[in-house]
Amino acid sequence: MNYLHTMVRVSDLDASLHFYCDLLGLIEISRYDSEKGRFSLIFLAAPGDEAQARDTRAPMIELTHNWDPEEYPKPTRSFGHLAYRVDNIYESCQRLQDGGVTILRPPRDGHMAFVRSPDGISIELLQAGESLDPAEPWASMENTGDW
């Protein structure tokens, strides 16, 4: 058995691509638009996984955008979150925050943070290797909302 991808429905494709690609740093691997079905499938991979994703179609996240407006209920607590390892958690959180993303659980410990996608999917960021030394403004920042 091989893990392939996780599918996430997105209501605003431009906002979602901005979040996942421009701010989070994922790379678009492929896209399929179905005129007849009125949907788009966009497959994204993390930097460093892109060669494997192009070769084996895994591991990736699939953004599914239905062209006709559709209201999606908030993700249920049973779903949990997506997680990505980052080279520098402080730089990643700063880039996301500068892009208008709320840091729900700041990386006070230099190791872990949580943010939320435009469609309410929790994203966990984990520091690669050893935790970074605590640093401001993160060390004293309070949690916002839930994740």
Side-chain angles (χ1 to χ4, degrees):
M1 182 183 318
N2 293 89
Y3 171 78
L4 298 178
H5 63 265
T6 299
M7 185 272 271
V8 174
R9 286 185 177 86
V10 299
S11 55
D12 183 331
L13 185 57
D14 291 334
S16 294
L17 287 173
H18 176 66
F19 173 80
Y20 286 103
C21 296
D22 299 337
L23 300 176
L24 200 54
L26 300 184
I27 298 158
E28 186 173 323
I29 300 299
S30 66
R31 180 184 296 234
Y32 172 75
D33 295 314
S34 173
E35 292 282 336
K36 184 176 180 181
R38 301 191 46 74
F39 66 87
S40 297
L41 306 178
I42 298 91
F43 289 88
L44 308 175
D49 288 340
E50 54 196 299
Q52 179 182 350
R54 290 184 204 292
D55 185 44
T56 67
R57 306 283 305 149
M60 292 190 285
I61 181 171
E62 172 192 335
L63 303 182
T64 296
H65 179 249
N66 294 311
W67 299 355
D68 298 318
E70 189 175 336
E71 200 59 38
Y72 300 120
K74 282 188 168 187
T76 65
R77 181 130 173 90
S78 63
F79 171 72
H81 61 267
L82 302 174
Y84 292 97
R85 185 177 303 118
V86 297
D87 291 331
N88 185 305
I89 197 155
Y90 297 141
E91 290 175 4
S92 296
C93 286
Q94 190 64 59
R95 182 177 61 254
L96 288 160
Q97 189 174 52
D98 290 349
V101 175
T102 299
I103 308 300
L104 301 172
R105 194 277 189 195
R108 289 183 293 275
D109 56 3
H111 182 73
M112 178 181 69
F114 275 88
V115 299
R116 196 174 300 284
S117 78
D119 287 287
I121 303 295
S122 288
I123 311 289
E124 179 181 22
L125 304 176
L126 295 167
Q127 174 62 42
E130 298 294 316
S131 298
L132 301 181
D133 291 334
E136 293 299 338
W138 313 108
S140 60
M141 190 180 289
E142 295 293 322
N143 292 344
T144 302
D146 57 27
W147 56 90

